[in-house]
């Protein structure tokens, strides 16, 4: 409930901030094409996207409920997992409903302010997810390399500060996105060849100078993704070195299994995102429908896959879920 209240309050603040600018009243609505080049068949693509959204909703709600109601799971790994689940719910819900409306019932129009708010939530919470993945990599490093000090290093106070730092970083870095867009003028080109309001897709429609917008977008991407990927790579390099020194084959296999699932989640999140980022700037020969489809899946596949990966691979969560649903 606190998360819902926070998100609704944040949306209201953004609406007020954008509405207070008198020049915004003259800004047109945008037209979301959906998946360019596949207009005739894109309603069929709505089915797998709808399934992914359903899995994301159900899976992440189960993760949140399971950890929240079981005090034995109030440990660093599971607390970080609840952060990831909450962020995934926002990411999926910021994207899927409008994308499905565009694909299924041709509800292409989206208001200017609503577009900016959607863009902010998508990019801000993508940044937050990246930060939580770094925190989870740190947790695995401490658990494997310093197991005796795990509870003292990552005590609840530290976890709370990490969560707050991830939240504040996402908000502070991404609030300038919609604010800078308010300084742009949009002429007649208000058609967004995408399923959602993606930052660069909107910037490219402007008929005024966009150097500042593009430079800031590049700086944020390098700062967030670059530093986070570096931190994750260092963590897992140290983990790999520690695991290879473990004498017992069974213990080594268990460590590889646990970290392997985390690495898969990380790759599923970062690879499509990096592909979309590079395609906007350098991939002029990449078919546009491939770019848009991957950019859409980038926001729906991780939220759908994360609960399955952690639910199946984590014995405590699996047992708790089975107990809640009386499955023996």
């Amino acid at each position: 409930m606190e998360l819902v209240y926070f998100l609704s309050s944040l949306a209201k603040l953004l609406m007020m901030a954008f509405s207070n600018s008198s020049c915004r009243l003259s800004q047109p609505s945008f037209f979301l094409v959906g998946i360019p080049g596949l207009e005739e068949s894109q309603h069929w693509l709505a089915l797998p996207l709808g399934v992914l959204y359903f899995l994301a909703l159900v899976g992440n709600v189960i993760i949140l409920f399971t950890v929240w109601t079981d005090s034995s799971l109030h440990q660093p790994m599971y607390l970080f997992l609840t952060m990831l689940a909450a962020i995934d719910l926002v990411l999926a819900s910021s994207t899927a409903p409008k994308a499905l409306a565009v694909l299924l019932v041709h509800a292409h129009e989206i208001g200017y302010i609503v577009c900016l708010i959607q863009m902010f939530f998508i990019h801000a919470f993508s940044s937050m997810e990246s930060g939580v993945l770094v925190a989870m990599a740190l947790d695995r490093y401490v658990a494997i390399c310093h197991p005796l000090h795990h509870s003292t290093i990552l005590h609840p106070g530290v976890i709370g500060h990490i969560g707050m730092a991830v939240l504040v970083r996402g908000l502070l870095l991404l609030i300038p996105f919609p604010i800078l867009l308010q300084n742009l003028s949009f002429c007649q080109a208000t058609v967004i060849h995408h399923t959602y309001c993606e930052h660069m897709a909107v910037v490219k429609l402007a008929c005024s100078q966009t150097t500042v917008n593009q430079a800031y977008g590049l700086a944020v991407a390098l700062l967030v993704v670059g530093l986070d990927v570096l931190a994750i790579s260092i963590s897992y390099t140290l983990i790999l070195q520690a695991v290879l020194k473990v004498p017992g084959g069974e213990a080594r296999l268990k460590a590889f299994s646990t970290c392997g699932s985390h690495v898969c989640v990380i790759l599923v999140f970062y690879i499509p995102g990096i592909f979309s980022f590079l395609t906007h700037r350098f991939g002029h020969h990449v078919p546009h429908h491939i770019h848009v489809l991957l950019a859409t899946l980038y926001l729906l596949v991780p939220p759908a896959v994360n609960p399955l990966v952690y639910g199946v691979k984590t014995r405590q969560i699996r047992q708790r879920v089975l107990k809640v649903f009386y499955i023996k």
Side-chain angles (χ1 to χ4, degrees):
M1 291 301 294
E2 290 84 357
L3 176 65
V4 174
Y5 177 76
F6 167 75
L7 294 177
S8 62
S9 300
L10 180 59
K12 290 177 181 177
L13 287 174
L14 290 171
M15 288 281 287
M16 291 173 61
F18 299 147
S19 299
N20 286 336
S21 178
S22 58
C23 63
R24 285 307 101 223
L25 297 175
S26 62
Q27 289 293 351
S29 297
F30 290 110
F31 184 93
L32 292 170
V33 171
I35 302 176
L38 300 178
E39 288 84 357
E40 297 298 324
S41 58
Q42 63 183 10
H43 58 279
W44 293 107
L45 296 173
L47 178 60
L49 294 181
V51 171
L52 288 173
Y53 182 47
F54 175 78
L55 291 175
L57 288 179
V58 174
N60 287 293
V61 168
I62 289 176
I63 292 291
L64 288 172
F65 176 78
T66 302
V67 177
W68 183 267
T69 57
D70 191 342
S71 58
S72 67
L73 296 179
H74 294 176
Q75 302 172 30
M77 176 181 175
Y78 307 115
L79 294 176
F80 287 134
L81 184 55
T82 59
M83 296 181 195
L84 188 67
I87 292 169
D88 280 341
L89 280 174
V90 177
L91 267 183
S93 298
S94 299
T95 311
K98 184 58 181 178
L100 292 174
V102 170
L103 300 178
L104 287 175
V105 297
H106 307 292
H108 297 281
E109 186 175 0
I110 183 170
Y112 180 84
I113 295 177
V114 176
C115 181
L116 294 188
I117 292 176
Q118 184 193 47
M119 180 190 65
F120 169 76
F121 272 86
I122 287 172
H123 291 290
F125 280 84
S126 294
S127 170
M128 293 178 201
E129 176 145 351
S130 181
V132 172
L133 291 177
V134 173
M136 296 178 77
L138 172 65
D139 172 65
R140 289 301 86 202
Y141 164 74
V142 176
I144 292 176
C145 299
H146 304 283
L148 298 179
H149 304 286
H150 185 241
S151 59
T152 56
I153 294 175
L154 291 177
H155 56 81
V158 171
I159 295 173
H161 285 107
I162 291 175
M164 185 58 64
V166 168
L167 176 66
V168 171
R169 185 189 73 163
L171 296 180
L172 291 182
L173 286 179
L174 276 303
I175 280 180
F177 270 22
I179 293 176
L180 288 173
L181 277 172
Q182 291 188 96
N183 298 322
L184 301 182
S185 298
F186 297 91
C187 305
Q188 296 179 348
T190 58
V191 177
I192 301 176
H193 295 276
H194 218 298
T195 56
Y196 59 87
C197 291
E198 198 270 344
H199 177 249
M200 282 304 300
V202 176
V203 168
K204 287 180 178 180
L205 299 180
C207 54
S208 55
Q209 184 59 252
T210 62
T211 303
V212 174
N213 301 76
Q214 295 192 44
Y216 186 74
L218 178 62
V220 169
L222 293 177
L223 181 64
V224 172
V225 178
L227 291 181
D228 288 358
V229 169
L230 177 62
I232 291 172
S233 300
I234 292 174
S235 296
Y236 279 100
T237 299
L238 296 175
I239 289 172
L240 180 62
Q241 292 177 348
V243 170
L244 292 177
K245 295 178 182 178
V246 175
E250 184 176 348
R252 185 183 302 176
L253 183 62
K254 182 179 179 180
F256 273 127
S257 177
T258 302
C259 294
S261 62
H262 294 185
V263 171
C264 289
V265 168
I266 290 168
L267 293 177
V268 168
F269 176 75
Y270 281 112
I271 290 178
I274 293 173
F275 173 83
S276 179
F277 170 79
L278 294 176
T279 300
H280 264 305
R281 289 164 173 81
F282 311 109
H284 304 296
H285 301 293
V286 176
H288 201 50
H289 64 277
I290 297 295
H291 175 203
V292 172
L293 190 57
L294 285 177
T296 305
L297 291 174
Y298 155 67
L299 298 177
L300 289 177
V301 171
V305 169
N306 290 348
L308 295 176
V309 171
Y310 289 110
V312 171
K313 296 294 293 184
T314 308
R315 179 176 55 84
Q316 292 90 332
I317 291 182
R318 185 172 64 248
Q319 290 178 345
R320 177 62 180 170
V321 170
L322 295 178
K323 181 179 179 181
V324 168
F325 291 96
Y326 300 100
I327 300 175
K328 299 181 179 181

